Amino acid sequence: MSERLRIALTKGRLQDQSVELFEGMGLDCTPIKNPGRRLVHSIPNYPLDAVLAKAPDVITYVEHGVCDLGIVGKDTILEKGGAFYEVMDLGFGRCRFALAVKEGSDFYGTYKTRRIATKYPAVTKEFFEKKGMDVSIIKIEGSVELAPILELADAIVDIVETGATLRENGLVPIEDVAQVSARLLVNIAAMKLHRTEILDFISRCEQELKRPK
Ligand code: PRP
């Protein structure tokens, strides 16, 4: 009898694509798709329980070993870091981190300290440190695009997927900071303790990702 694994899935954008991947692997995801008020969802035909969590919590659960596996965006991994194995690029949830400014503004054409609004201060700090540029980072929790409009910031560092949010708010991307996609994480101890089950799960993921669509 194999041990049941527990996986933390990121709620929202990555959730449906994670479920699609699992269904392609033959997992019955009915409990995840009809959660009601339940927070832990048992897959009936595979030894796996799933919990849905906000992206940074996925990393916390995997790091602490309360979840053996996790699916989270590279954006959150770059921002939060942590001790876990990042075993696979799942290929979905593709977007990029970009530096964006108000259309027509000359971001590099001044010696004043630039103010950058972002939900990702660690990523932003590293990006400008590499350039040797001293910037002032303003942490925003959501709708970062508002910051340049309100003149709180000269630029933003944020996730760009379709580019629609930037366009509709008169902003333009001027530089890529990093590429982002969903990653599969594994808890370090679980990789030893539940090796057989984890490797079975990983190989099913790999096979599904390789399958021509
Ligand atoms: C993200 C990001 C941008 C938007 C980009 O926000 O912060 O605002 O999506 O997507 P687009 O390029 O397809 O327009 P999200 O919707 O996750 O909401 P949030 O701002 O509340 O975090």
Side-chain angles (χ1 to χ4, degrees):
M1 174 71 186
S2 67
E3 287 274 345
R4 288 189 80 76
L5 297 174
R6 196 180 295 139
I7 189 164
L9 305 178
T10 302
K11 276 186 203 168
R13 282 173 193 244
L14 298 183
Q15 183 176 332
D16 290 348
Q17 287 160 296
S18 304
V19 165
E20 206 174 296
L21 166 67
F22 288 180
E23 288 183 330
M25 291 158 64
L27 277 55
D28 177 359
C29 292
T30 315
I32 307 176
K33 287 155 93 176
N34 304 291
R37 304 294 298 173
R38 286 184 73 86
L39 298 171
V40 182
H41 314 291
S42 296
I43 305 288
N45 63 347
Y46 189 80
L48 182 72
D49 297 330
V51 300
L52 294 169
K54 287 204 170 189
D57 294 343
V58 169
I59 292 186
T60 303
Y61 295 156
V62 173
E63 263 202 296
H64 286 264
V66 297
C67 290
D68 307 294
L69 302 153
I71 293 182
V72 72
K74 184 70 179 177
D75 53 330
T76 308
I77 297 172
L78 289 171
E79 179 63 26
K80 189 172 156 76
F84 44 75
Y85 295 122
E86 184 184 324
V87 292
M88 207 188 300
D89 182 344
L90 297 171
F92 58 79
R94 279 200 191 285
C95 53
R96 61 197 168 108
F97 268 125
L99 173 67
V101 297
K102 264 203 233 173
E103 203 163 4
S105 87
D106 184 9
F107 180 74
Y108 288 109
T110 166
Y111 288 109
K112 275 198 324 200
T113 302
R114 259 71 38 135
R115 299 157 305 159
I116 318 293
T118 187
K119 281 182 272 185
Y120 301 90
V123 170
T124 304
K125 184 168 180 277
E126 199 191 328
F127 176 71
F128 284 105
E129 266 173 10
K130 276 192 190 143
K131 289 178 174 287
M133 244 177 101
D134 197 17
V135 295
S136 154
I137 297 170
I138 303 168
K139 170 93 196 283
I140 297 286
E141 298 297 337
S143 300
V144 179
E145 295 82 359
L146 254 181
I149 297 172
L150 301 180
E151 304 208 333
L152 173 67
D154 305 300
I156 63 171
V157 167
D158 199 19
I159 292 298
V160 180
E161 196 176 348
T162 61
T165 313
L166 290 182
R167 269 194 309 279
E168 288 180 26
N169 291 289
L171 305 175
V172 286
I174 55 168
E175 229 168 295
D176 278 0
V177 176
Q179 298 300 315
V180 169
S181 59
R183 305 297 159 100
L184 179 66
L185 310 186
V186 180
N187 170 265
I188 292 171
M191 193 59 134
K192 288 203 183 78
L193 293 170
H194 308 301
R195 188 169 181 82
T196 313
E197 294 83 356
I198 288 174
L199 292 184
D200 178 75
F201 182 82
I202 292 174
S203 89
R204 282 168 190 254
C205 275
E206 276 170 349
Q207 279 168 27
E208 172 54 18
L209 294 174
K210 273 193 222 140
R211 198 166 60 85
K213 303 277 153 36

